[in-house]
Amino acid sequence: MIHILNEEFKSEEIDDLIFICKSNSGVMGARLRNAHYELGRILAENYKNHFSAQCCIVSFMRSALPFTFGIADILDCPILFYDSNDSDFFDRNKELIKGKLILFVDAVINSGRGMLETIGKLKVSHQKIKIITNVLCDKALEIFADYDVFTVRVSHNSFKGAKVLKQVDDKGPDTGDRLFRTLFA
């Protein structure tokens, strides 16, 4: 089931935070990190009855960090920082995730293929997994039909993150670069 915060819990505060987070807002750095944090906090607060007290967050590096901290501050659960280049990640952390509800958190999910590939490495049932994201592309809705997904909003855009300041063709400003002001690096 797909849970969409800005459709189920309408508020001016959520709308204002979403505007800040949009890739065409021009907002970067601390203000953007704070908006991601607040949206994570609001999402977790509104949906906390869907999450077990025994959960563990797997946070996708690096763009999910502020959003993850907002979620974790409400749920007060362990956070693991996932890097897709770390082939031993789940083996090294098996004791921390054993028997827990696993919350996979990413800032933006476009196609969903990367998320499904990562989930496949864990080898647990769908009932032990929930996916949380700030933005979910509508093209990925169908592939998550077997999962509980929680998102702030669904987008009809699908931009590949790049070192650009504005959306051009199929490229838009990378969320991690905007969050950590590394667009000009």
Side-chain angles (χ1 to χ4, degrees):
M1 174 169 212
I2 309 288
H3 305 271
I4 306 169
L5 181 72
N6 75 327
E7 290 180 9
E8 295 178 30
F9 299 94
K10 295 181 184 299
S11 80
E12 189 173 321
E13 178 186 20
I14 292 170
D15 290 343
D16 290 346
L17 291 167
I18 287 171
F19 177 78
I20 291 168
C21 293
K22 287 188 173 188
S23 62
N24 62 358
S25 73
V27 177
M28 290 189 276
R31 185 169 171 221
L32 181 60
R33 288 190 302 271
N34 185 61
H36 276 247
Y37 174 88
E38 288 300 321
L39 285 169
R41 189 188 59 71
I42 292 167
L43 185 143
E45 186 66 47
N46 282 292
Y47 292 114
K48 67 182 171 185
N49 62 323
H50 291 267
F51 309 121
S52 155
Q54 293 297 313
C55 63
C56 180
I57 292 175
V58 174
S59 179
F60 281 60
M61 292 299 287
R62 75 185 165 146
S63 64
L65 291 176
F67 188 60
T68 293
F69 290 136
I71 295 165
D73 283 356
I74 296 300
L75 301 180
D76 196 22
C77 61
I79 306 170
L80 300 173
F81 302 101
Y82 178 73
D83 179 343
S84 60
N85 296 317
D86 184 351
S87 60
D88 298 328
F89 177 83
F90 290 112
D91 285 337
R92 246 189 358 274
N93 292 293
K94 64 184 168 194
E95 290 304 314
L96 266 173
I97 49 185
K98 183 179 181 180
K100 291 190 172 83
L101 175 66
I102 311 302
L103 309 178
F104 282 89
V105 178
D106 202 357
V108 178
I109 297 176
N110 278 313
S111 72
R113 288 187 305 267
M115 178 66 72
L116 288 181
E117 182 180 303
T118 302
I119 289 170
K121 293 175 185 176
L122 188 54
K123 298 180 178 92
V124 299
S125 80
H126 292 166
Q127 290 76 28
K128 297 296 285 178
I129 292 170
K130 297 196 187 281
I131 299 166
I132 305 174
T133 186
N134 190 357
V135 181
L136 177 65
C137 179
D138 62 355
K139 294 175 183 86
L141 291 171
E142 190 175 309
I143 69 168
F144 292 120
D146 293 338
Y147 293 91
D148 254 353
V149 179
F150 298 83
T151 186
V152 171
R153 69 184 180 95
V154 172
S155 175
H156 303 294
N157 298 321
S158 178
F159 298 105
K160 182 170 176 66
K163 291 211 180 274
V164 297
L165 287 173
K166 297 198 183 272
Q167 298 167 354
V168 180
D169 298 323
D170 65 341
K171 294 183 180 180
D174 179 74
T175 302
D177 285 333
R178 290 178 58 230
L179 284 163
F180 300 106
R181 287 193 170 272
T182 54
L183 269 174
F184 303 107

